[in-house]
Amino acid sequence: MGRIFCIMGKSASGKDTVYREILKRQPELGTYVMYTTRPIREGEVRDVSYHFTDEKQIEAFSSQGKLIESRTYNTVYGPWTYATIDDGQIDLNKRDYLIPGTLESFGRLKEYFGEEQVVPIYIEVEDGERLIRAIRREMMEAKPKYAEVCRRFIADSADFSEDNIKQAGISKRYSNNNIAECTDSIIRDIVRG
């Protein structure tokens, strides 16, 4: 039976970069394209970065019993929902998967697929460094949304509190001060099982 490696961390911790690096070096890992109601960002590709959808479609999946988990963030631009849907993308009889997530989605994935099948990969970076990274990344957008960067930064302090990390059953952490070292460490643990 395959496993789902759920990669998570606060915003600007580098989880997306680490995710891409792991997939480059472990191409046999399956991936999952999440659903979201938020607007597409510059550089994102529809149905590759996310399945961009609306609340009506998320509700339809829910009524069909296909909603694994969803979470809605009340952003400065209105509510944005992210959802994991049982749409056939994940088949644990065929392979292991690497999926980005949050503590909440990690918990729901464990409930849905079983605790033994879902493995946490928690990435962390010192808060000051994270904020600098977030601002630099946002500066590259055509229309930077600094208020949203601040909202996410503050919300992450509560969402990823030490109590919540402990309650989720996460004991191992990967420091992302050096992308190569962080990626190497995670891959070693994935390969070991």
Side-chain angles (χ1 to χ4, degrees):
M1 173 87 44
R3 294 164 299 167
I4 296 171
F5 295 96
C6 185
I7 188 166
M8 61 199 125
K10 295 176 182 175
S11 59
S13 61
K15 64 187 171 292
D16 293 336
T17 303
V18 172
Y19 173 82
R20 287 189 298 271
E21 287 298 312
I22 292 169
L23 290 176
K24 267 195 238 175
R25 293 173 48 193
Q26 301 292 126
E28 69 279 3
L29 289 171
T31 59
Y32 177 84
V33 178
M34 182 166 275
Y35 291 74
T36 186
T37 63
R38 78 156 167 75
I40 192 168
R41 292 180 183 151
E42 190 175 326
E44 290 181 326
V45 178
R46 187 174 299 282
D47 299 327
V48 174
S49 304
Y50 287 94
H51 292 297
F52 293 94
T53 189
D54 57 25
E55 284 297 333
K56 189 175 180 181
Q57 182 62 55
I58 300 290
E59 289 170 15
F61 284 129
S62 181
S63 67
Q64 296 165 13
K66 294 183 176 183
L67 181 68
I68 296 172
E69 64 86 24
S70 71
R71 55 211 175 277
T72 301
Y73 299 101
N74 292 313
T75 75
V76 295
Y77 301 98
W80 292 348
T81 297
Y82 294 81
T84 306
I85 306 298
D86 188 354
D87 61 357
Q89 291 185 65
I90 299 172
D91 184 349
L92 294 178
N93 291 314
K94 292 185 177 178
R95 62 171 51 162
D96 290 337
Y97 291 82
L98 182 65
I99 297 177
T102 64
L103 288 177
E104 182 180 349
S105 65
F106 169 65
R108 297 277 164 74
L109 287 168
K110 285 193 307 182
E111 290 171 14
Y112 193 84
F113 290 102
E115 195 156 335
E116 298 78 31
Q117 268 52 64
V118 185
V119 180
I121 298 174
Y122 183 73
I123 296 174
E124 62 182 4
V125 172
E126 187 273 325
D127 279 347
E129 177 63 25
R130 275 193 326 102
L131 186 56
I132 290 167
R133 288 180 185 184
I135 291 169
R136 283 186 187 142
R137 180 176 66 192
E138 199 62 29
M139 288 173 72
M140 303 192 57
E141 294 290 324
K143 294 181 180 177
K145 297 175 172 76
Y146 296 114
E148 179 57 18
V149 168
C150 294
R151 185 208 62 80
R152 280 196 324 256
F153 186 84
I154 292 166
D156 279 349
S157 294
D159 294 344
F160 290 94
S161 70
E162 287 302 315
D163 285 344
N164 288 346
I165 292 169
K166 184 177 179 179
Q167 188 174 23
I170 296 172
S171 56
K172 180 151 189 175
R173 300 170 188 222
Y174 299 89
S175 176
N176 190 17
N177 295 320
N178 178 298
I179 191 79
E181 290 174 10
C182 181
T183 304
D184 288 344
S185 180
I186 292 168
I187 289 174
R188 276 193 303 273
D189 287 347
I190 287 174
V191 170
R192 276 187 225 145

